Amino acid sequence: MLKQNYTSWNKSQNSRQDEMIFPNHVSLAEKMKPKNFTSYIGQKHVIGSNTILHNFLKIGEIPSMILWGPPGCGKKSLINVIIQLTKEKFKDKIHIVKLVATACGVGDIKKAVETAKNVLKSDHRTIVVMDEIHRFNKLQQDIFLPHVEAGTFILIGSTIENPSYSLNPALLSRCRIFSLDKLSVEDIIEILTKSIHCIGGRIQNSLNCNDVSKFMIHNDTLKWLAEVCDGDARTALSGLELAIRSKNVLHNKKFVINIEDIKDGLIHMSTIADNKSEQTHHLYSALHKSIFAGKPNAALYWLARIMAAKEDPVDIARRLIRISGEDIGFADPDAIGLAVHTLNACQMIGMPESDVLLGQCVVYLTRAPKSRLIYNAFKAAQQFINNSKEPQPDVRQHIQCISEEEKLEFSIESNKYNLSRNLNTKKNHLPKSLQHVNFFHEDLR
């Protein structure tokens, strides 16, 4: 009991220490989100003076736009600046709807449209912010078109993928595209410097200085972090935050952050990301094995788990196509057709409507007869080639491109050459040295 009370007290003390630097446990990346152009760092070619976007915002005109750039370059921060400036300009006459494409469907967009139409009657404007807009397929994106064109709402989308490939051309023609670059090392250093001063830290060239700062970080450590994060401000801030939190709970007084502390924080972040990715692979493996074992109840459960992990339904359908070819094959030729149709349907209607279609396909594949004939034979052929220590034999003459047994005859009527084939199907089409090889260990029906 005493030990339990001590543990509770110790956790409480650690929590209080943590709150001294991070009040209310707000993440450092969230805390440092800029609210105006002055506090926004980088992307001068997009929001610098005399740029198109800067001039638009200056006069209070917000066009529908797509912000395109790599992770951590400042897309969400720029959206935050735009929203804050718009609220200041229009006071209470602006309505903001924030959506994430991975967590919403067409139904959510329809609700946003109805809200926008209602507030428009009161002379209010609506901004719909769509994060990861590329995760909406091109047919889903069509729902934006009439409302963006009619001015029902202003669309601000963000994406890490090239809009020319991932977005509907009709939607692109109605939006301005702003391309954001990877942040420079100098930009990251400036962001980190502001963050450190904001939470009561100090940057110095000498670690022997006494002051009232809560913690200290050497200038070389800061530069190393800015270089290693490869232009991703979110990674830099998260790595710094993890290092500070880990040191903060162990020290009651001022402490020093060094490169090793930063490395530990970055490794921890990488481990979390790797574990999440590995867990997804395990879920797909469980689905695959449940289908092969003919267990529809288990297969549906693992499908639900995969969808709860926000996996793209099109990616799930691709896996099902592979499973139908690998584990079912000739035993039920209709299986691969159903899997392909399921993928097309997922591309057409997206989430959440495609969940039942995926479930239907999974149950069909689970109940279908299984055959690995083609899979095993092809693997045997690959293994034979990979294990061979000698060069592979040449293609036999009678099956070469335009062999002696094939003739090119010129047709006067069509004014072109036609290929006539007189092939002897009784001849063996394998090289002479491989006449005895058979990759099929069961009857091919």
Side-chain angles (χ1 to χ4, degrees), residues 3 15 17 20 56 64 80 87 99 112 114 119 133 157 167 182 239 254 305 341 373 378 406 409 415:
K3 184 177 180 181
S15 178
Q17 286 287 326
M20 290 173 61
F56 266 127
S64 288
N80 192 55
K87 285 181 177 179
L99 300 171
E114 290 302 316
V119 300
I133 192 171
L167 299 186
K182 186 166 64 175
K254 180 171 59 180
R305 284 280 300 274
H341 285 311
L373 175 65
F378 188 69
E406 297 175 316
E409 299 176 345
N415 196 30

Side-chain angles (χ1 to χ4, degrees), residues 238-239 242-243 246 260-270:
S238 299
L242 279 171
S246 63
E260 291 303 317
D261 298 322
I262 299 293
K263 284 182 179 179
D264 290 340
L266 292 176
I267 290 172
H268 179 68
M269 289 168 56
S270 177

Side-chain angles (χ1 to χ4, degrees), residues 91-380:
K91 303 299 180 184
D92 296 328
K93 291 191 174 183
I94 197 76
H95 181 69
I96 310 296
V97 179
K98 293 184 178 180
L99 300 171
V100 181
T102 54
C104 70
V106 173
D108 298 283
I109 307 300
K110 290 179 178 178
K111 289 179 183 178
V113 170
E114 290 302 316
T115 302
K117 287 180 178 179
N118 290 332
V119 300
L120 195 59
K121 295 175 183 177
S122 306
D123 198 28
H124 286 54
R125 299 300 308 276
T126 300
I127 296 178
V128 175
V129 178
M130 178 59 74
D131 190 22
E132 298 186 68
I133 192 171
H134 62 275
R135 297 296 292 269
F136 262 21
N137 63 57
K138 292 184 179 181
L139 287 173
Q140 282 178 297
Q141 293 166 20
D142 283 341
I143 194 170
F144 294 115
L145 297 179
H147 308 295
V148 170
E149 193 165 19
T152 307
F153 59 74
I154 299 164
L155 174 65
I156 302 179
S158 66
T159 177
I160 59 173
E161 294 190 4
N162 190 333
S164 299
Y165 301 110
S166 60
L167 299 186
N168 193 322
L171 181 61
L172 289 179
S173 68
R174 292 161 173 79
C175 300
R176 287 187 172 270
I177 310 298
F178 294 103
S179 177
L180 279 65
D181 297 332
K182 186 166 64 175
L183 293 173
S184 66
V185 173
E186 291 73 22
D187 291 334
I188 299 292
I189 289 176
E190 188 176 351
I191 292 170
L192 290 172
T193 301
K194 285 183 64 176
S195 305
I196 290 166
H197 290 315
C198 180
I199 57 178
R202 176 185 174 88
I203 304 168
Q204 54 188 24
N205 292 321
S206 172
L207 296 178
N208 297 319
C209 177
N210 292 320
D211 55 36
V212 295
S213 304
K214 295 175 183 176
F215 68 93
M216 293 182 290
I217 183 169
H218 198 272
N219 191 52
D220 291 342
T221 302
L222 194 69
K223 186 178 179 182
W224 181 88
L225 175 58
E227 290 173 349
V228 80
C229 71
D230 193 30
D232 189 333
R234 190 182 298 108
T235 297
L237 290 171
S238 299
L240 175 65
E241 180 179 1
L242 279 171
I244 294 171
R245 285 186 185 276
S246 63
K247 273 294 187 80
N248 191 40
V249 298
L250 298 174
H251 297 77
N252 293 326
K253 297 181 180 180
K254 180 171 59 180
F255 53 90
V256 176
I257 299 294
N258 54 42
I259 290 180
E260 291 303 317
D261 298 322
I262 299 293
K263 284 182 179 179
D264 290 340
L266 292 176
I267 290 172
H268 179 68
M269 289 168 56
S270 177
T271 302
I272 292 173
D274 289 343
N275 286 342
K276 185 177 180 182
S277 177
E278 184 179 353
Q279 181 65 18
T280 305
H281 287 307
H282 289 326
L283 293 176
Y284 275 112
S285 176
L287 173 64
H288 190 159
K289 291 174 181 175
S290 298
I291 290 174
F292 183 69
K295 306 293 185 183
N297 202 47
L300 276 180
Y301 169 77
W302 294 118
L303 173 64
R305 284 280 300 274
I306 290 169
M307 298 180 77
K310 306 300 182 185
E311 285 291 292
D312 190 334
V314 175
D315 290 338
I316 300 172
R318 288 194 186 102
R319 297 288 186 114
L320 296 179
I321 293 174
R322 170 66 186 190
I323 292 170
S324 65
E326 179 178 326
D327 290 332
I328 298 171
F330 285 160
D332 184 353
D334 291 334
I336 194 166
L338 176 63
V340 171
H341 285 311
T342 300
L343 183 142
N344 292 333
C346 289
Q347 290 176 326
M348 290 173 67
I349 65 175
M351 284 295 290
E353 289 83 358
S354 60
D355 54 358
V356 176
L357 303 178
L358 288 168
Q360 176 181 311
C361 184
V362 163
V363 172
Y364 184 94
L365 299 182
T366 306
R367 292 180 173 179
K370 308 297 188 295
S371 170
R372 284 198 150 197
L373 175 65
I374 303 300
Y375 175 80
N376 292 335
F378 188 69
K379 284 293 180 182

